[in-house]
Amino acid sequence: YRLAGRPAEINLGRYPQMCLADARKRRDVLLMGILDGKSPAEQRKAEQHAEMRGTTVETFAERWLTQQVSRKREDLGPIRRYLKREIYPLIGKKPLASVEKKELREIIFAKVDAGHEQAALALRNILHRVWEYAVECEITEKSPAVVIPKAKYVAEVSSRSRALKEAEIKAFLRGLDAAKLRDYLKDALSLILLTLVRKSELRLARK
């Protein structure tokens, strides 16, 4: 084809994945765009962008987990549980670009109303990071600053600086010794107390 007087070529697809009839249809569609002054590359980009705009919250959030979160942490379990329990059942099947601020606020503040402020804050932060990445990927133009409430309006971050008193540690160890648990679970709980590692960190520990 020629565009602006310059000859160029384009690959319509691979055979046999694309049959001759489909290749001809694809050619005709691209030709109409060329006659309007649009390059096939621009047309493909527009088509891909339109497809991405229809990406659901669940599909994109899983992509965010795989492409972004997994690069920084090994255990995706806590984040995935929030997504599967609190977010996917309500808006998982909706195109991300169509989700409204009201829907996100309802998810977050339902936790606040139930008295689980820290869980609400965790949900808020997950949604903010998903939407931030969606803007970067041009899935939506709705900035997280616009559709997601600020953290200070959800809850204050609770301090985890309190240390167990000696009496509490003794009570924990006595209760653990008397508990009807398997030995490996008792060992794991003792290690958590002695090393102060997170449960997820202990689960991923290797020799």
Side-chain angles (χ1 to χ4, degrees):
Y1 71 92
R2 281 180 174 273
L3 188 63
R6 296 180 179 180
E9 296 180 354
I10 187 169
N11 187 345
L12 296 175
R14 290 180 176 273
Y15 181 82
Q17 286 84 357
M18 177 177 281
C19 66
L20 184 58
D22 289 340
R24 285 171 175 162
K25 291 178 182 177
R26 178 66 179 159
R27 175 204 61 191
D28 293 341
V29 170
L30 293 174
L31 180 59
M32 293 299 294
I34 291 169
L35 294 175
D36 289 335
K38 300 176 183 177
S39 72
E42 291 175 342
Q43 293 181 63
R44 278 189 172 178
K45 186 176 181 180
E47 290 170 359
Q48 291 172 352
H49 192 264
E51 289 176 4
M52 291 292 282
R53 285 279 180 168
T55 301
T56 65
V57 171
E58 182 172 351
T59 298
F60 186 78
E62 290 297 319
R63 173 182 167 187
W64 166 72
L65 275 176
T66 302
Q67 296 182 353
Q68 297 297 311
V69 183
S70 63
R71 291 160 53 186
K72 300 177 182 178
R73 58 186 296 173
E74 293 183 33
D75 186 12
L76 304 180
I79 295 176
R80 182 163 273 133
R81 281 193 291 274
Y82 273 116
L83 289 168
K84 287 187 174 182
R85 292 176 183 177
E86 311 292 346
I87 297 173
Y88 293 166
L90 298 174
I91 59 172
K93 301 304 180 185
K94 295 193 65 172
L96 187 145
S98 71
V99 176
E100 299 295 334
K101 180 177 182 178
K102 178 182 177 182
E103 295 172 284
L104 299 179
R105 287 180 57 84
E106 287 176 351
I107 292 173
I108 295 168
F109 285 102
K111 278 291 179 186
V112 175
D113 294 341
H116 305 301
E117 292 187 350
Q118 296 308 305
L121 194 58
L123 274 173
R124 181 263 170 203
N125 291 339
I126 290 170
L127 288 166
H128 188 278
R129 291 163 66 190
V130 170
W131 251 256
E132 190 174 51
Y133 188 47
V135 171
E136 187 66 26
C137 295
E138 298 184 348
I139 302 295
T140 180
E141 296 175 355
K142 298 175 183 177
S143 164
V146 174
V147 297
I148 298 172
K150 293 181 179 180
K152 66 180 181 180
Y153 298 130
V154 177
E156 293 184 6
V157 178
S158 63
S159 173
R160 295 187 178 184
S161 60
R162 190 183 84 83
L164 292 175
K165 297 177 181 178
E166 183 178 347
E168 292 175 315
I169 294 174
K170 288 180 179 179
F172 173 81
L173 292 175
R174 284 196 298 268
L176 183 61
D177 186 56
K180 294 180 180 180
L181 295 174
R182 295 184 179 181
D183 288 342
Y184 76 89
L185 290 175
K186 291 184 178 182
D187 291 341
L189 290 169
S190 295
L191 277 172
I192 289 174
L193 178 63
L194 293 170
T195 61
L196 301 180
V197 298
R198 295 184 178 89
K199 181 179 68 175
S200 60
E201 292 172 332
L202 184 61
R203 287 177 56 242
L204 295 171
R206 298 290 183 271
K207 290 184 179 179

